[in-house]
Amino acid sequence: EELGVLAAAVASAREGRGGVSFLSGEPGIGKSRLTREAEAQAEAAGILILRGRAAQPDRPIPYGAVVEAVRSGLRRGPPPDENLDPFFPQLARLLPELGPGGAEVLEPSPELLREGLLRLILALSGATGGLVVLEDLHWADVDTVATVEYLAVHLGTEQVFLLATMRSEPPNQALRLAERLEA
């Protein structure tokens, strides 16, 4: 049943109706296996897969899982989108491989950074669409969770589907996010 739901979500994203799904459960229940099945379906449909994983809590990395996912797409080549130019100074803080970033950022702006990450994901996904897989979100730092929330709110009319896995045991800010979005 879950595989059917994910297959439909990936197909909907390809048609411009993206979104987000959270897979939660205890360790070893099969969350990662289910994401691999969704990735196989996306790959068969020619959809770009961006994959990242949150670091364990003893070494949190701000925006870590999202940056890792974006980097997996940047390895295939630079994003083909000039609409990213205003966001390069913010993005270059996290992704120095994008280049110098133009003007120096005097004050970091989480809002501009999140919008830049969204636009970068959309640019990388191109006309075929994208599947963003973020694993172990229960370990994600507050910036990553806030970025996932931003993406979830804005992907509904895009060709990108975000699939996140997390453990279901509290305390867990990612689980609280999933509950808020579901409500």
Side-chain angles (χ1 to χ4, degrees), residues 1-12 21 23 34 37-38 41 161:
E1 183 179 331
E2 290 87 356
L3 190 54
V5 169
L6 291 179
V10 170
S12 289
S21 284
L23 299 175
L34 194 52
E37 291 295 328
Q41 291 174 356
F161 177 63

Side-chain angles (χ1 to χ4, degrees), residues 47-53 64-80 84 95 97-98 117 119-126 128-134:
I47 294 172
L48 176 73
I49 300 164
L50 303 175
R51 175 177 255 293
R53 171 175 259 112
V66 178
V67 168
E68 185 178 327
V70 168
R71 277 195 174 119
S72 73
L74 288 173
R75 288 185 195 107
R76 295 182 175 96
L84 292 170
L95 298 156
E97 62 267 35
L98 287 176
L117 287 167
R119 290 186 187 207
L120 183 53
I121 289 168
L122 296 175
L124 289 168
S125 298
T128 60
L131 171 64
V132 179
V133 176
L134 302 177

Side-chain angles (χ1 to χ4, degrees), residues 81-91 101 103 105 112 116 119:
D81 196 291
E82 302 79 35
N83 293 327
L84 292 170
D85 288 348
F87 302 98
F88 273 136
Q90 293 289 333
L91 290 169
V105 177
L112 283 176
R119 290 186 187 207

Side-chain angles (χ1 to χ4, degrees), residues 18-181:
V20 62
S21 284
F22 295 94
L23 299 175
S24 66
E26 59 192 51
I29 199 168
K31 299 179 295 293
S32 294
R33 172 81 172 111
L34 194 52
T35 62
R36 285 193 300 275
E37 291 295 328
E39 288 175 11
Q41 291 174 356
E43 188 174 22
I47 294 172
L48 176 73
I49 300 164
L50 303 175
R51 175 177 255 293
R53 171 175 259 112
Q56 295 212 15
D58 61 333
R59 53 190 169 107
I61 301 169
Y63 303 95
V66 178
V67 168
E68 185 178 327
V70 168
R71 277 195 174 119
S72 73
L74 288 173
R75 288 185 195 107
R76 295 182 175 96
D81 196 291
E82 302 79 35
N83 293 327
L84 292 170
D85 288 348
F87 302 98
F88 273 136
Q90 293 289 333
L91 290 169
R93 292 177 43 240
L94 295 178
L95 298 156
E97 62 267 35
L98 287 176
E104 184 178 327
V105 177
L106 298 177
E107 187 165 328
S109 168
E111 294 81 16
L112 283 176
L113 181 57
R114 290 181 188 120
E115 179 64 20
L117 287 167
L118 170 65
R119 290 186 187 207
L120 183 53
I121 289 168
L122 296 175
L124 289 168
S125 298
T128 60
L131 171 64
V132 179
V133 176
L134 302 177
E135 294 235 41
D136 296 329
L137 211 55
H138 53 276
W139 286 325
D141 65 289
V142 67
D143 293 318
T144 299
V145 173
T147 301
V148 169
E149 181 172 20
Y150 188 86
L151 295 173
V153 168
H154 292 90
L155 288 178
T157 58
E158 304 296 343
Q159 286 186 287
V160 176
F161 177 63
L162 189 151
L163 178 59
T165 69
M166 69 185 107
R167 293 184 184 165
S168 55
E169 60 237 7
N172 180 336
Q173 59 187 344
L175 186 59
R176 287 192 298 272
L177 169 62
E179 290 167 350
R180 277 196 323 271
L181 290 173

